[in-house]
Amino acid sequence: IFWDAYYIQRTLLEADHRKEALAACNFLLRTQEAAHRHAREEFGVEGLKWDWEVTHEGKKAYGALVHMKDQVHNNASYANMIRQYYQFTLDLNMLREFYPILEGIARFFLANVVEKTPEGVGTRPVVGVSENPIRVRNEGLTVAGAITILHRTAQAARMLGIETDLVGRCIEVSEALIPTLLKLYNGHYFIPQE
C-alpha cells in the first residue's frame, strides 16, 4: 500500500465493491503493530506511523530511500480511507473498530509533526510531496494532512460519543493549523511550503 491508496478505495466504493474497499482498511488493522513500532522506535513517540510504502507484513518497501520514513502525509490519507468507507456505508460498527487507528495517527501527528512556533501552529520540517531529502517546514500537503487527520478523528469521536482530552486537542490544533495553510496562498496560487 502507498499513500494514494485512498483514490483506488474511493473508486471501489463508488462501484459498490464494499468488501474490497474494506480490505484496504483492514490492511491498516493488520499492520498496526508495525506502525506502532515504527512510531516508537524511529521517532520516539506513541501513536501509529506507517512507513512511506509497506508490504502486507508491515515491512519497509522502499530500499535505500531512507529519508522517505520522514514523509507523513500518507498517514493522513489513511484517515480518508476510513472516513470514505463510513461515508459510503454508514457502518458505525466499522467506524468503532477503526477509531483506534484514527486516534493512533492523530497521536503521532500531535507528538511528532505539529509544532507551535512564535508565528503560530505549523508542521515541523518533513519530507514533502516532492520526495526530496531536504525537509521543509509547513509543506502544503503535510499541513492539509494534519488538519485532515485531526478533524477526521474528532468527527469520528463525536459520532461514537467519545469525549477525551485528545479529541479536544484534535479540534483545537486542527483549527489552529488553518491559518498556516492559508498563508501558503499568495493571492494567485498555493506555494508548496513556507
Side-chain angles (χ1 to χ4, degrees):
I1 194 167
F2 48 95
W3 73 271
D4 50 358
Y6 72 100
Y7 292 117
I8 298 162
Q9 189 223 21
R10 172 97 186 186
T11 304
L12 290 168
L13 286 165
E14 289 177 356
D16 203 30
H17 288 283
R18 294 180 181 199
K19 182 180 174 186
E20 293 83 354
L22 185 58
C25 292
N26 284 335
F27 172 84
L28 301 172
L29 285 177
R30 198 170 61 250
T31 58
Q32 70 179 320
E33 184 48 42
H36 179 69
R37 219 175 20 257
H38 183 53
R40 188 178 59 244
E41 293 174 6
E42 297 197 42
F43 295 94
V45 298
E46 291 303 312
L48 298 172
K49 163 59 168 87
W50 278 266
D51 252 304
W52 176 51
E53 294 185 2
V54 295
T55 67
H56 285 281
E57 297 83 33
K59 295 178 184 170
K60 295 178 193 299
Y62 52 91
L65 299 173
V66 178
H67 71 280
M68 293 305 291
K69 81 173 190 179
D70 213 21
Q71 188 181 69
V72 298
H73 64 259
N74 57 332
N75 287 251
S77 298
Y78 302 150
N80 284 334
M81 292 168 62
I82 294 167
R83 176 65 180 169
Q84 282 176 169
Y85 190 88
Y86 174 76
Q87 280 181 302
F88 275 80
T89 65
L90 300 179
D91 183 345
L92 207 55
N93 289 327
M94 177 274 185
L95 190 62
R96 190 172 289 108
E97 180 181 13
F98 282 85
Y99 179 77
I101 300 289
L102 293 173
E103 187 178 278
I105 299 170
R107 281 186 191 285
F108 178 82
F109 269 70
L110 289 169
N112 189 266
V113 178
V114 174
E115 66 178 6
K116 189 166 179 142
T117 69
E119 293 82 40
V121 177
T123 59
R124 71 172 174 82
V126 296
V127 172
V129 72
S130 69
E131 302 180 357
N132 189 310
I134 298 169
R135 277 97 169 134
V136 293
R137 183 179 308 284
N138 292 331
E139 193 264 342
L141 196 54
T142 302
V143 176
I147 294 168
T148 295
I149 182 55
L150 299 174
H151 183 72
R152 298 262 188 260
T153 302
Q155 270 185 328
R158 211 172 293 126
M159 285 183 246
L160 296 170
I162 297 169
E163 290 185 38
T164 63
D165 289 343
L166 176 75
V167 173
R169 188 141 185 264
C170 285
I171 293 167
E172 177 188 326
V173 174
S174 66
E175 290 173 1
L177 282 165
I178 292 171
T180 302
L181 184 63
L182 293 176
K183 283 185 211 169
L184 298 178
Y185 183 64
N186 68 10
H188 303 287
Y189 57 86
F190 275 94
I191 55 174
Q193 70 261 346
E194 185 179 287

